Amino acid sequence: MTEQKTPDPARFGKMLAAHSPKAELVLSALALAAWMLGAHPEAMTITFTVLAGFYFLSTFLIIELDEVFGHVAVKISGFSSAVCVIALLFKTLSMEGYQQMMLIGLLSVVAALVVMVGLFLKSQNKTYIRFIIRSLALTGFSLYVFLPDLKELNL
């Protein structure tokens, strides 16, 4: 009689967390290449949506942090990064609503970034570095794309 093995969710989450930086790098490079090369709209939709989905799902990965606010900041950073990526997709495809999404996403990413930098300086936990780099890169790129359109935003 064969024994059926069921996967251990905790072990799967840790394995996924260990390989997520590589996946994030590849997905980010694909999305950036699609944007810079002016790829076909369907290709851009796929790459940006997969990257946004990755950012959203990465908030549920198991990470080693002692601070409660650290977990909250990492989760907010993941959700906000997904919103920023979708806003970039909307901007690239000339769809309405990207300005509001980008504003909300950027404000949330920057708030989470401030908390993560503060906690990193306090605890020296190197786990924060990956999320800080992600937030800085996404904020810089989003501002580069979004700042020329800031004048059009009616607040």
Side-chain angles (χ1 to χ4, degrees):
M1 187 162 140
T2 60
E3 183 179 320
Q4 186 173 5
K5 296 182 179 182
T6 58
D8 181 18
R11 194 176 79 202
F12 178 72
K14 288 181 181 177
M15 186 265 317
L16 196 58
H19 295 293
S20 69
K22 297 172 198 165
E24 181 176 358
L25 187 62
V26 168
L27 292 173
S28 299
L30 286 173
L32 186 62
W35 183 80
M36 291 182 76
L37 297 173
H40 200 271
E42 283 83 9
M44 293 197 53
T45 301
I46 291 170
T47 57
F48 278 67
T49 304
V50 169
L51 181 61
F54 175 81
Y55 284 154
F56 176 77
L57 292 175
S58 71
T59 61
F60 300 103
L61 294 178
I62 298 170
I63 53 174
E64 303 293 329
L65 295 174
D66 296 329
E67 301 89 1
V68 174
F69 285 118
H71 283 283
V72 172
V74 167
K75 290 187 183 306
I76 289 173
S77 173
F79 290 132
S80 304
S81 297
V83 170
C84 285
V85 169
I86 294 298
L88 287 169
L89 175 65
F90 273 44
K91 162 110 173 94
T92 306
L93 298 177
S94 301
M95 298 173 76
E96 292 182 20
Y98 73 90
Q99 295 156 326
Q100 291 82 2
M101 280 195 296
M102 185 62 76
L103 186 63
I104 290 169
L106 276 175
L107 289 175
S108 301
V109 167
V110 170
L113 180 63
V114 168
V115 171
M116 288 187 294
V117 167
L119 289 173
F120 172 72
L121 293 175
K122 179 182 171 191
S123 69
Q124 296 298 315
N125 188 343
K126 295 191 185 305
T127 306
Y128 289 112
I129 292 175
R130 181 177 123 216
F131 300 105
I132 290 171
I133 290 172
R134 172 207 289 176
S135 298
L136 283 173
L138 187 64
T139 301
F141 184 72
S142 297
L143 285 174
Y144 170 74
V145 173
F146 182 60
L147 279 180
D149 296 335
L150 195 58
K151 295 176 218 162
E152 298 174 16
L153 187 62
N154 297 324
L155 296 176

PDB file of all heavy atoms in Angstrom, residues 82-118:
ATOM      1  N   ALA A  82       1.949  46.269  -5.549  1.00  0.00           N
ATOM      2  CA  ALA A  82       1.030  45.725  -6.555  1.00  0.00           C
ATOM      3  C   ALA A  82       0.157  46.835  -7.142  1.00  0.00           C
ATOM      4  O   ALA A  82      -0.066  46.891  -8.355  1.00  0.00           O
ATOM      5  CB  ALA A  82       0.157  44.633  -5.932  1.00  0.00           C
ATOM      6  N   VAL A  83      -0.303  47.754  -6.302  1.00  0.00           N
ATOM      7  CA  VAL A  83      -1.126  48.871  -6.781  1.00  0.00           C
ATOM      8  C   VAL A  83      -0.308  49.757  -7.720  1.00  0.00           C
ATOM      9  O   VAL A  83      -0.793  50.182  -8.775  1.00  0.00           O
ATOM     10  CB  VAL A  83      -1.689  49.683  -5.592  1.00  0.00           C
ATOM     11  CG1 VAL A  83      -2.337  50.970  -6.064  1.00  0.00           C
ATOM     12  CG2 VAL A  83      -2.672  48.847  -4.804  1.00  0.00           C
ATOM     13  N   CYS A  84       0.951  50.025  -7.374  1.00  0.00           N
ATOM     14  CA  CYS A  84       1.810  50.854  -8.226  1.00  0.00           C
ATOM     15  C   CYS A  84       2.052  50.194  -9.583  1.00  0.00           C
ATOM     16  O   CYS A  84       2.042  50.863 -10.619  1.00  0.00           O
ATOM     17  CB  CYS A  84       3.145  51.124  -7.547  1.00  0.00           C
ATOM     18  SG  CYS A  84       3.057  52.330  -6.227  1.00  0.00           S
ATOM     19  N   VAL A  85       2.277  48.900  -9.585  1.00  0.00           N
ATOM     20  CA  VAL A  85       2.532  48.197 -10.847  1.00  0.00           C
ATOM     21  C   VAL A  85       1.288  48.228 -11.739  1.00  0.00           C
ATOM     22  O   VAL A  85       1.385  48.457 -12.951  1.00  0.00           O
ATOM     23  CB  VAL A  85       3.010  46.747 -10.588  1.00  0.00           C
ATOM     24  CG1 VAL A  85       3.030  45.936 -11.859  1.00  0.00           C
ATOM     25  CG2 VAL A  85       4.388  46.760  -9.957  1.00  0.00           C
ATOM     26  N   ILE A  86       0.119  48.021 -11.155  1.00  0.00           N
ATOM     27  CA  ILE A  86      -1.113  48.096 -11.947  1.00  0.00           C
ATOM     28  C   ILE A  86      -1.334  49.521 -12.442  1.00  0.00           C
ATOM     29  O   ILE A  86      -1.779  49.734 -13.576  1.00  0.00           O
ATOM     30  CB  ILE A  86      -2.320  47.581 -11.132  1.00  0.00           C
ATOM     31  CG1 ILE A  86      -2.149  46.084 -10.844  1.00  0.00           C
ATOM     32  CG2 ILE A  86      -3.634  47.830 -11.862  1.00  0.00           C
ATOM     33  CD1 ILE A  86      -2.094  45.199 -12.072  1.00  0.00           C
ATOM     34  N   ALA A  87      -1.002  50.521 -11.636  1.00  0.00           N
ATOM     35  CA  ALA A  87      -1.120  51.913 -12.083  1.00  0.00           C
ATOM     36  C   ALA A  87      -0.167  52.183 -13.254  1.00  0.00           C
ATOM     37  O   ALA A  87      -0.537  52.872 -14.215  1.00  0.00           O
ATOM     38  CB  ALA A  87      -0.825  52.865 -10.934  1.00  0.00           C
ATOM     39  N   LEU A  88       1.041  51.624 -13.197  1.00  0.00           N
ATOM     40  CA  LEU A  88       1.975  51.767 -14.325  1.00  0.00           C
ATOM     41  C   LEU A  88       1.413  51.104 -15.581  1.00  0.00           C
ATOM     42  O   LEU A  88       1.560  51.632 -16.690  1.00  0.00           O
ATOM     43  CB  LEU A  88       3.335  51.169 -13.970  1.00  0.00           C
ATOM     44  CG  LEU A  88       4.172  51.963 -12.982  1.00  0.00           C
ATOM     45  CD1 LEU A  88       5.354  51.136 -12.508  1.00  0.00           C
ATOM     46  CD2 LEU A  88       4.641  53.263 -13.594  1.00  0.00           C
ATOM     47  N   LEU A  89       0.775  49.964 -15.408  1.00  0.00           N
ATOM     48  CA  LEU A  89       0.150  49.293 -16.546  1.00  0.00           C
ATOM     49  C   LEU A  89      -0.973  50.158 -17.120  1.00  0.00           C
ATOM     50  O   LEU A  89      -1.071  50.331 -18.338  1.00  0.00           O
ATOM     51  CB  LEU A  89      -0.396  47.922 -16.127  1.00  0.00           C
ATOM     52  CG  LEU A  89      -1.187  47.157 -17.182  1.00  0.00           C
ATOM     53  CD1 LEU A  89      -0.294  46.783 -18.350  1.00  0.00           C
ATOM     54  CD2 LEU A  89      -1.826  45.925 -16.570  1.00  0.00           C
ATOM     55  N   PHE A  90      -1.807  50.710 -16.252  1.00  0.00           N
ATOM     56  CA  PHE A  90      -2.895  51.573 -16.713  1.00  0.00           C
ATOM     57  C   PHE A  90      -2.341  52.783 -17.459  1.00  0.00           C
ATOM     58  O   PHE A  90      -2.874  53.183 -18.482  1.00  0.00           O
ATOM     59  CB  PHE A  90      -3.748  52.033 -15.525  1.00  0.00           C
ATOM     60  CG  PHE A  90      -4.858  51.098 -15.158  1.00  0.00           C
ATOM     61  CD1 PHE A  90      -4.663  49.733 -15.097  1.00  0.00           C
ATOM     62  CD2 PHE A  90      -6.107  51.583 -14.860  1.00  0.00           C
ATOM     63  CE1 PHE A  90      -5.680  48.870 -14.749  1.00  0.00           C
ATOM     64  CE2 PHE A  90      -7.150  50.741 -14.502  1.00  0.00           C
ATOM     65  CZ  PHE A  90      -6.928  49.377 -14.457  1.00  0.00           C
ATOM     66  N   LYS A  91      -1.271  53.371 -16.946  1.00  0.00           N
ATOM     67  CA  LYS A  91      -0.665  54.534 -17.610  1.00  0.00           C
ATOM     68  C   LYS A  91      -0.136  54.149 -18.975  1.00  0.00           C
ATOM     69  O   LYS A  91      -0.344  54.857 -19.960  1.00  0.00           O
ATOM     70  CB  LYS A  91       0.468  55.085 -16.755  1.00  0.00           C
ATOM     71  CG  LYS A  91       1.442  55.978 -17.493  1.00  0.00           C
ATOM     72  CD  LYS A  91       1.320  57.391 -17.079  1.00  0.00           C
ATOM     73  CE  LYS A  91       2.412  58.237 -17.688  1.00  0.00           C
ATOM     74  NZ  LYS A  91       2.030  58.861 -18.912  1.00  0.00           N
ATOM     75  N   THR A  92       0.550  53.028 -19.045  1.00  0.00           N
ATOM     76  CA  THR A  92       1.137  52.577 -20.304  1.00  0.00           C
ATOM     77  C   THR A  92       0.065  52.274 -21.337  1.00  0.00           C
ATOM     78  O   THR A  92       0.244  52.554 -22.520  1.00  0.00           O
ATOM     79  CB  THR A  92       2.000  51.324 -20.060  1.00  0.00           C
ATOM     80  OG1 THR A  92       2.945  51.632 -19.038  1.00  0.00           O
ATOM     81  CG2 THR A  92       2.745  50.925 -21.299  1.00  0.00           C
ATOM     82  N   LEU A  93      -1.060  51.729 -20.904  1.00  0.00           N
ATOM     83  CA  LEU A  93      -2.143  51.393 -21.823  1.00  0.00           C
ATOM     84  C   LEU A  93      -3.140  52.546 -21.999  1.00  0.00           C
ATOM     85  O   LEU A  93      -4.176  52.369 -22.639  1.00  0.00           O
ATOM     86  CB  LEU A  93      -2.882  50.150 -21.319  1.00  0.00           C
ATOM     87  CG  LEU A  93      -2.042  48.880 -21.234  1.00  0.00           C
ATOM     88  CD1 LEU A  93      -2.865  47.738 -20.661  1.00  0.00           C
ATOM     89  CD2 LEU A  93      -1.462  48.508 -22.585  1.00  0.00           C
ATOM     90  N   SER A  94      -2.820  53.711 -21.434  1.00  0.00           N
ATOM     91  CA  SER A  94      -3.653  54.923 -21.542  1.00  0.00           C
ATOM     92  C   SER A  94      -5.070  54.695 -21.021  1.00  0.00           C
ATOM     93  O   SER A  94      -6.049  55.110 -21.627  1.00  0.00           O
ATOM     94  CB  SER A  94      -3.699  55.422 -22.981  1.00  0.00           C
ATOM     95  OG  SER A  94      -2.406  55.701 -23.442  1.00  0.00           O
ATOM     96  N   MET A  95      -5.156  54.045 -19.882  1.00  0.00           N
ATOM     97  CA  MET A  95      -6.457  53.801 -19.252  1.00  0.00           C
ATOM     98  C   MET A  95      -6.684  54.827 -18.142  1.00  0.00           C
ATOM     99  O   MET A  95      -5.733  55.368 -17.577  1.00  0.00           O
ATOM    100  CB  MET A  95      -6.510  52.382 -18.688  1.00  0.00           C
ATOM    101  CG  MET A  95      -6.350  51.315 -19.763  1.00  0.00           C
ATOM    102  SD  MET A  95      -6.198  49.659 -19.098  1.00  0.00           S
ATOM    103  CE  MET A  95      -7.875  49.335 -18.645  1.00  0.00           C
ATOM    104  N   GLU A  96      -7.934  55.092 -17.842  1.00  0.00           N
ATOM    105  CA  GLU A  96      -8.266  56.065 -16.811  1.00  0.00           C
ATOM    106  C   GLU A  96      -8.053  55.484 -15.417  1.00  0.00           C
ATOM    107  O   GLU A  96      -8.145  54.284 -15.218  1.00  0.00           O
ATOM    108  CB  GLU A  96      -9.720  56.507 -16.952  1.00  0.00           C
ATOM    109  CG  GLU A  96      -9.990  57.309 -18.203  1.00  0.00           C
ATOM    110  CD  GLU A  96     -11.431  57.771 -18.275  1.00  0.00           C
ATOM    111  OE1 GLU A  96     -12.103  57.809 -17.230  1.00  0.00           O
ATOM    112  OE2 GLU A  96     -11.871  58.092 -19.380  1.00  0.00           O
ATOM    113  N   GLY A  97      -7.781  56.369 -14.469  1.00  0.00           N
ATOM    114  CA  GLY A  97      -7.666  55.972 -13.076  1.00  0.00           C
ATOM    115  C   GLY A  97      -6.259  55.692 -12.603  1.00  0.00           C
ATOM    116  O   GLY A  97      -6.061  55.410 -11.420  1.00  0.00           O
ATOM    117  N   TYR A  98      -5.279  55.772 -13.491  1.00  0.00           N
ATOM    118  CA  TYR A  98      -3.921  55.433 -13.069  1.00  0.00           C
ATOM    119  C   TYR A  98      -3.361  56.472 -12.105  1.00  0.00           C
ATOM    120  O   TYR A  98      -2.560  56.132 -11.234  1.00  0.00           O
ATOM    121  CB  TYR A  98      -2.990  55.262 -14.271  1.00  0.00           C
ATOM    122  CG  TYR A  98      -2.598  56.550 -14.957  1.00  0.00           C
ATOM    123  CD1 TYR A  98      -1.478  57.245 -14.556  1.00  0.00           C
ATOM    124  CD2 TYR A  98      -3.350  57.071 -15.995  1.00  0.00           C
ATOM    125  CE1 TYR A  98      -1.115  58.428 -15.173  1.00  0.00           C
ATOM    126  CE2 TYR A  98      -2.997  58.242 -16.623  1.00  0.00           C
ATOM    127  CZ  TYR A  98      -1.882  58.920 -16.205  1.00  0.00           C
ATOM    128  OH  TYR A  98      -1.521  60.088 -16.812  1.00  0.00           O
ATOM    129  N   GLN A  99      -3.781  57.727 -12.229  1.00  0.00           N
ATOM    130  CA  GLN A  99      -3.236  58.770 -11.362  1.00  0.00           C
ATOM    131  C   GLN A  99      -3.622  58.537  -9.904  1.00  0.00           C
ATOM    132  O   GLN A  99      -2.778  58.639  -9.010  1.00  0.00           O
ATOM    133  CB  GLN A  99      -3.721  60.138 -11.832  1.00  0.00           C
ATOM    134  CG  GLN A  99      -3.193  60.497 -13.198  1.00  0.00           C
ATOM    135  CD  GLN A  99      -4.074  61.510 -13.905  1.00  0.00           C
ATOM    136  OE1 GLN A  99      -5.291  61.479 -13.730  1.00  0.00           O
ATOM    137  NE2 GLN A  99      -3.466  62.368 -14.687  1.00  0.00           N
ATOM    138  N   GLN A 100      -4.877  58.202  -9.681  1.00  0.00           N
ATOM    139  CA  GLN A 100      -5.339  57.966  -8.320  1.00  0.00           C
ATOM    140  C   GLN A 100      -4.684  56.708  -7.735  1.00  0.00           C
ATOM    141  O   GLN A 100      -4.283  56.692  -6.570  1.00  0.00           O
ATOM    142  CB  GLN A 100      -6.869  57.841  -8.286  1.00  0.00           C
ATOM    143  CG  GLN A 100      -7.594  59.120  -8.585  1.00  0.00           C
ATOM    144  CD  GLN A 100      -7.733  59.426 -10.074  1.00  0.00           C
ATOM    145  OE1 GLN A 100      -7.310  58.656 -10.925  1.00  0.00           O
ATOM    146  NE2 GLN A 100      -8.308  60.565 -10.386  1.00  0.00           N
ATOM    147  N   MET A 101      -4.593  55.661  -8.554  1.00  0.00           N
ATOM    148  CA  MET A 101      -3.944  54.432  -8.078  1.00  0.00           C
ATOM    149  C   MET A 101      -2.483  54.692  -7.749  1.00  0.00           C
ATOM    150  O   MET A 101      -1.972  54.214  -6.735  1.00  0.00           O
ATOM    151  CB  MET A 101      -4.038  53.324  -9.132  1.00  0.00           C
ATOM    152  CG  MET A 101      -5.351  52.619  -9.151  1.00  0.00           C
ATOM    153  SD  MET A 101      -5.308  51.070 -10.062  1.00  0.00           S
ATOM    154  CE  MET A 101      -4.951  51.614 -11.702  1.00  0.00           C
ATOM    155  N   MET A 102      -1.795  55.438  -8.607  1.00  0.00           N
ATOM    156  CA  MET A 102      -0.383  55.704  -8.385  1.00  0.00           C
ATOM    157  C   MET A 102      -0.184  56.556  -7.134  1.00  0.00           C
ATOM    158  O   MET A 102       0.735  56.305  -6.349  1.00  0.00           O
ATOM    159  CB  MET A 102       0.227  56.406  -9.597  1.00  0.00           C
ATOM    160  CG  MET A 102       1.713  56.610  -9.480  1.00  0.00           C
ATOM    161  SD  MET A 102       2.644  55.082  -9.358  1.00  0.00           S
ATOM    162  CE  MET A 102       2.593  54.562 -11.044  1.00  0.00           C
ATOM    163  N   LEU A 103      -1.042  57.530  -6.933  1.00  0.00           N
ATOM    164  CA  LEU A 103      -0.924  58.382  -5.748  1.00  0.00           C
ATOM    165  C   LEU A 103      -1.104  57.567  -4.469  1.00  0.00           C
ATOM    166  O   LEU A 103      -0.297  57.663  -3.541  1.00  0.00           O
ATOM    167  CB  LEU A 103      -1.949  59.514  -5.814  1.00  0.00           C
ATOM    168  CG  LEU A 103      -1.856  60.560  -4.722  1.00  0.00           C
ATOM    169  CD1 LEU A 103      -0.527  61.293  -4.802  1.00  0.00           C
ATOM    170  CD2 LEU A 103      -3.008  61.535  -4.828  1.00  0.00           C
ATOM    171  N   ILE A 104      -2.129  56.748  -4.430  1.00  0.00           N
ATOM    172  CA  ILE A 104      -2.372  55.917  -3.245  1.00  0.00           C
ATOM    173  C   ILE A 104      -1.244  54.898  -3.053  1.00  0.00           C
ATOM    174  O   ILE A 104      -0.743  54.700  -1.945  1.00  0.00           O
ATOM    175  CB  ILE A 104      -3.738  55.212  -3.363  1.00  0.00           C
ATOM    176  CG1 ILE A 104      -4.850  56.238  -3.238  1.00  0.00           C
ATOM    177  CG2 ILE A 104      -3.898  54.121  -2.316  1.00  0.00           C
ATOM    178  CD1 ILE A 104      -6.220  55.722  -3.600  1.00  0.00           C
ATOM    179  N   GLY A 105      -0.824  54.258  -4.140  1.00  0.00           N
ATOM    180  CA  GLY A 105       0.250  53.278  -4.050  1.00  0.00           C
ATOM    181  C   GLY A 105       1.558  53.893  -3.588  1.00  0.00           C
ATOM    182  O   GLY A 105       2.244  53.350  -2.717  1.00  0.00           O
ATOM    183  N   LEU A 106       1.917  55.043  -4.159  1.00  0.00           N
ATOM    184  CA  LEU A 106       3.178  55.685  -3.781  1.00  0.00           C
ATOM    185  C   LEU A 106       3.168  56.164  -2.333  1.00  0.00           C
ATOM    186  O   LEU A 106       4.159  55.995  -1.613  1.00  0.00           O
ATOM    187  CB  LEU A 106       3.477  56.866  -4.705  1.00  0.00           C
ATOM    188  CG  LEU A 106       4.151  56.519  -6.020  1.00  0.00           C
ATOM    189  CD1 LEU A 106       4.278  57.751  -6.894  1.00  0.00           C
ATOM    190  CD2 LEU A 106       5.508  55.904  -5.789  1.00  0.00           C
ATOM    191  N   LEU A 107       2.074  56.757  -1.905  1.00  0.00           N
ATOM    192  CA  LEU A 107       2.002  57.211  -0.517  1.00  0.00           C
ATOM    193  C   LEU A 107       2.123  56.035   0.450  1.00  0.00           C
ATOM    194  O   LEU A 107       2.808  56.126   1.475  1.00  0.00           O
ATOM    195  CB  LEU A 107       0.695  57.972  -0.269  1.00  0.00           C
ATOM    196  CG  LEU A 107       0.598  59.349  -0.925  1.00  0.00           C
ATOM    197  CD1 LEU A 107      -0.784  59.945  -0.706  1.00  0.00           C
ATOM    198  CD2 LEU A 107       1.676  60.278  -0.413  1.00  0.00           C
ATOM    199  N   SER A 108       1.501  54.918   0.110  1.00  0.00           N
ATOM    200  CA  SER A 108       1.570  53.740   0.981  1.00  0.00           C
ATOM    201  C   SER A 108       2.959  53.117   0.971  1.00  0.00           C
ATOM    202  O   SER A 108       3.474  52.711   2.020  1.00  0.00           O
ATOM    203  CB  SER A 108       0.544  52.700   0.540  1.00  0.00           C
ATOM    204  OG  SER A 108      -0.745  53.237   0.581  1.00  0.00           O
ATOM    205  N   VAL A 109       3.579  53.048  -0.206  1.00  0.00           N
ATOM    206  CA  VAL A 109       4.929  52.479  -0.289  1.00  0.00           C
ATOM    207  C   VAL A 109       5.916  53.340   0.493  1.00  0.00           C
ATOM    208  O   VAL A 109       6.769  52.822   1.221  1.00  0.00           O
ATOM    209  CB  VAL A 109       5.379  52.321  -1.763  1.00  0.00           C
ATOM    210  CG1 VAL A 109       6.856  52.034  -1.856  1.00  0.00           C
ATOM    211  CG2 VAL A 109       4.612  51.210  -2.436  1.00  0.00           C
ATOM    212  N   VAL A 110       5.806  54.646   0.355  1.00  0.00           N
ATOM    213  CA  VAL A 110       6.720  55.541   1.074  1.00  0.00           C
ATOM    214  C   VAL A 110       6.509  55.436   2.581  1.00  0.00           C
ATOM    215  O   VAL A 110       7.480  55.408   3.346  1.00  0.00           O
ATOM    216  CB  VAL A 110       6.561  56.994   0.572  1.00  0.00           C
ATOM    217  CG1 VAL A 110       7.300  57.969   1.458  1.00  0.00           C
ATOM    218  CG2 VAL A 110       7.063  57.108  -0.863  1.00  0.00           C
ATOM    219  N   ALA A 111       5.267  55.348   3.030  1.00  0.00           N
ATOM    220  CA  ALA A 111       5.004  55.192   4.464  1.00  0.00           C
ATOM    221  C   ALA A 111       5.602  53.889   4.987  1.00  0.00           C
ATOM    222  O   ALA A 111       6.248  53.865   6.037  1.00  0.00           O
ATOM    223  CB  ALA A 111       3.508  55.238   4.729  1.00  0.00           C
ATOM    224  N   ALA A 112       5.408  52.797   4.247  1.00  0.00           N
ATOM    225  CA  ALA A 112       5.982  51.511   4.650  1.00  0.00           C
ATOM    226  C   ALA A 112       7.506  51.566   4.605  1.00  0.00           C
ATOM    227  O   ALA A 112       8.177  50.981   5.462  1.00  0.00           O
ATOM    228  CB  ALA A 112       5.462  50.397   3.743  1.00  0.00           C
ATOM    229  N   LEU A 113       8.051  52.279   3.629  1.00  0.00           N
ATOM    230  CA  LEU A 113       9.503  52.409   3.504  1.00  0.00           C
ATOM    231  C   LEU A 113      10.098  53.126   4.713  1.00  0.00           C
ATOM    232  O   LEU A 113      11.130  52.694   5.250  1.00  0.00           O
ATOM    233  CB  LEU A 113       9.841  53.156   2.214  1.00  0.00           C
ATOM    234  CG  LEU A 113      11.311  53.401   1.908  1.00  0.00           C
ATOM    235  CD1 LEU A 113      12.041  52.081   1.731  1.00  0.00           C
ATOM    236  CD2 LEU A 113      11.448  54.245   0.650  1.00  0.00           C
ATOM    237  N   VAL A 114       9.448  54.186   5.158  1.00  0.00           N
ATOM    238  CA  VAL A 114       9.932  54.919   6.329  1.00  0.00           C
ATOM    239  C   VAL A 114       9.934  54.010   7.557  1.00  0.00           C
ATOM    240  O   VAL A 114      10.904  53.979   8.324  1.00  0.00           O
ATOM    241  CB  VAL A 114       9.069  56.182   6.566  1.00  0.00           C
ATOM    242  CG1 VAL A 114       9.356  56.805   7.921  1.00  0.00           C
ATOM    243  CG2 VAL A 114       9.297  57.187   5.454  1.00  0.00           C
ATOM    244  N   VAL A 115       8.877  53.238   7.740  1.00  0.00           N
ATOM    245  CA  VAL A 115       8.806  52.324   8.887  1.00  0.00           C
ATOM    246  C   VAL A 115       9.889  51.251   8.784  1.00  0.00           C
ATOM    247  O   VAL A 115      10.581  50.951   9.761  1.00  0.00           O
ATOM    248  CB  VAL A 115       7.405  51.688   8.992  1.00  0.00           C
ATOM    249  CG1 VAL A 115       7.378  50.579  10.031  1.00  0.00           C
ATOM    250  CG2 VAL A 115       6.367  52.739   9.314  1.00  0.00           C
ATOM    251  N   MET A 116      10.063  50.670   7.582  1.00  0.00           N
ATOM    252  CA  MET A 116      11.062  49.601   7.427  1.00  0.00           C
ATOM    253  C   MET A 116      12.481  50.124   7.641  1.00  0.00           C
ATOM    254  O   MET A 116      13.302  49.439   8.267  1.00  0.00           O
ATOM    255  CB  MET A 116      10.939  48.952   6.046  1.00  0.00           C
ATOM    256  CG  MET A 116       9.713  48.086   5.894  1.00  0.00           C
ATOM    257  SD  MET A 116       9.640  47.157   4.354  1.00  0.00           S
ATOM    258  CE  MET A 116       9.479  48.444   3.137  1.00  0.00           C
ATOM    259  N   VAL A 117      12.784  51.311   7.147  1.00  0.00           N
ATOM    260  CA  VAL A 117      14.128  51.881   7.357  1.00  0.00           C
ATOM    261  C   VAL A 117      14.351  52.138   8.836  1.00  0.00           C
ATOM    262  O   VAL A 117      15.424  51.828   9.380  1.00  0.00           O
ATOM    263  CB  VAL A 117      14.321  53.167   6.517  1.00  0.00           C
ATOM    264  CG1 VAL A 117      15.557  53.924   6.946  1.00  0.00           C
ATOM    265  CG2 VAL A 117      14.399  52.830   5.041  1.00  0.00           C
ATOM    266  N   GLY A 118      13.354  52.677   9.510  1.00  0.00           N
ATOM    267  CA  GLY A 118      13.478  52.913  10.949  1.00  0.00           C
ATOM    268  C   GLY A 118      13.699  51.627  11.728  1.00  0.00           C
ATOM    269  O   GLY A 118      14.564  51.567  12.609  1.00  0.00           O
TER     270      GLY A 118
END
